[in-house]
């Protein structure tokens, strides 16, 4: 049992399992509205090569339509149920690019080929399309079930039933920060992510969703919130989940787990 993870920055990862390439929340932009990419090069074209793409929720830094437009025609997308109605541009893009869109709710599974299945799980996060979108689609996490069971949490806060709903996993991709000086509700920081890790008890974990984008003009405001979350998560994990192997890759780095 083994899986390879490439972290491209923010919440964007390639999970390679059993010959299947799974891409999470693709964001290939140098700039998004008031955010700019401060660390790591914009991912190369090969980052957009995937058999299936998982979109956790509708925020523009997770469902980024220009990045989805870089996918090859026929690529399959798994998205929260209601996404096409909430984001009309998704339906238009899917038609133009020939993308296959499957809407999901927690508990549903999809066979993505190669003996790999993907199960949607609940996330505690306001996943509506901001700034004005109604709550039409739930925020999701996903468990990729191949030779390993890999949990991609998307954006989420802690909730009591997390470990029970996610189930046994081998690898956890957990958000540990954000894109600004302060985290709002429905997010994990390094310490809360380590608490989630202790409950989930995988063999290995990778911190994501930090150290990539930051608001323009705020470089000097609480800079530790940009630079430190990955290493802080590793330190917290040694204390709260000492049996879990934590890998902290750089941007574009591939790691083999567990």
């Amino acid at each position: 049992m083994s899986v390879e993870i490439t972290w491209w920055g923010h919440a964007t990862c390639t999970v390679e399992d059993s010959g299947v390439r799974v891409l999470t929340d693709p964001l290939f932009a140098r700039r998004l509205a008031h955010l700019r990419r401060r660390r790591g090069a914009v991912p190369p074209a090969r980052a957009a090569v995937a058999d299936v793409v998982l979109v956790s929720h509708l925020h523009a830094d997770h469902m980024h339509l220009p990045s989805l437009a870089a996918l090859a025609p026929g690529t399959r997308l798994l998205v929260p149920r209601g996404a096409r109605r909430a984001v009309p541009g998704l339906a238009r893009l899917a038609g133009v690019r020939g993308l296959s869109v499957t809407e999901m709710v927690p508990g549903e599974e999809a066979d993505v080929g190669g003996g790999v299945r993907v199960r949607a799980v609940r996330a505690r996060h306001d996943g509506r399309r901001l700034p004005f979108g109604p709550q039409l689609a739930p925020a999701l996490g996903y468990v990729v079930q191949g030779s390993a069971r890999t949990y991609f949490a998307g954006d989420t806060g802690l909730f009591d039933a997390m470990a029970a709903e996610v189930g046994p996993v081998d690898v956890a991709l957990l958000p540990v920060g954000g894109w600004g000086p302060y985290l709002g509700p429905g997010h994990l920081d390094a310490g809360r992510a380590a608490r989630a890790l202790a409950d989930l008890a995988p063999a290995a974990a990778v911190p994501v969703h930090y150290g990539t984008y930051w608001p323009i003009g705020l470089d000097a405001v609480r800079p530790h919130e940009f630079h430190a979350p990955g290493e802080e998560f590793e330190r917290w994990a040694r204390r709260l989940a000492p049996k879990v192997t934590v890998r902290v890759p750089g941007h574009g780095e591939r790691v083999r787990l567990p």
Side-chain angles (χ1 to χ4, degrees):
M1 181 271 292
S2 67
V3 61
E4 292 186 339
I5 308 293
T6 304
W7 182 51
W8 301 110
H10 202 52
T12 307
C13 301
T14 296
V15 179
E16 298 177 76
D17 189 323
S18 304
V20 176
R21 288 175 61 92
V22 180
L23 179 63
T24 67
D25 287 350
L27 181 56
F28 303 142
R30 188 176 305 280
R31 178 173 175 177
L32 174 63
H34 65 299
L35 307 178
R36 67 179 174 89
R37 192 177 182 106
R38 288 190 57 206
R39 181 182 292 164
V42 173
R46 69 177 185 276
V49 177
D51 298 293
V52 63
V53 175
L54 312 181
V55 175
S56 63
H57 62 285
L58 306 188
H59 291 173
D61 58 323
H62 292 259
M63 178 181 280
H64 185 244
L65 296 181
S67 295
L68 295 179
L71 302 173
T75 301
R76 187 173 183 185
L77 305 185
L78 304 185
V79 302
R81 181 171 294 175
R84 282 176 290 198
R85 182 161 62 101
V87 186
L90 174 63
R92 292 194 294 269
L93 176 63
V96 170
R97 295 293 297 164
L99 306 176
S100 173
V101 180
T102 301
E103 296 191 344
M104 303 186 73
V105 296
E108 289 187 333
E109 291 192 6
D111 185 340
V112 298
V116 175
R117 298 184 65 82
V118 175
R119 176 168 53 90
V121 298
R122 182 163 63 104
R124 184 183 178 186
H125 189 69
D126 182 352
R128 76 186 74 193
R129 191 69 164 182
L130 299 175
F132 305 116
Q135 187 66 271
L136 297 177
L140 300 176
Y142 296 94
V143 179
V144 179
Q145 303 172 125
S147 67
R149 294 162 298 186
T150 301
Y151 171 45
F152 169 62
D155 259 356
T156 188
L158 277 172
F159 55 97
D160 290 341
M162 177 185 283
E165 294 184 19
V166 171
V169 291
D170 303 297
V171 178
L173 309 180
L174 295 177
V176 300
W179 49 253
Y182 302 98
L183 283 175
H187 292 88
L188 298 177
D189 61 12
R192 291 192 294 270
R195 287 169 54 196
L197 188 67
D199 290 339
L200 293 163
V206 174
V208 301
H209 203 275
Y210 77 100
T212 308
Y213 292 92
W214 204 249
I216 293 169
L218 294 185
D219 292 9
V221 179
R222 295 174 61 86
H224 62 284
E225 299 291 353
F226 177 84
H227 295 284
E231 293 179 353
E232 287 185 352
F233 171 71
E234 189 175 27
R235 288 194 294 271
W236 275 105
R238 283 198 296 267
R239 183 185 305 175
L240 300 180
K243 294 182 180 180
V244 181
T245 298
V246 175
R247 300 289 297 275
V248 185
H251 290 77
E253 183 180 353
R254 176 189 292 183
V255 295
R256 181 184 291 271
L257 300 168

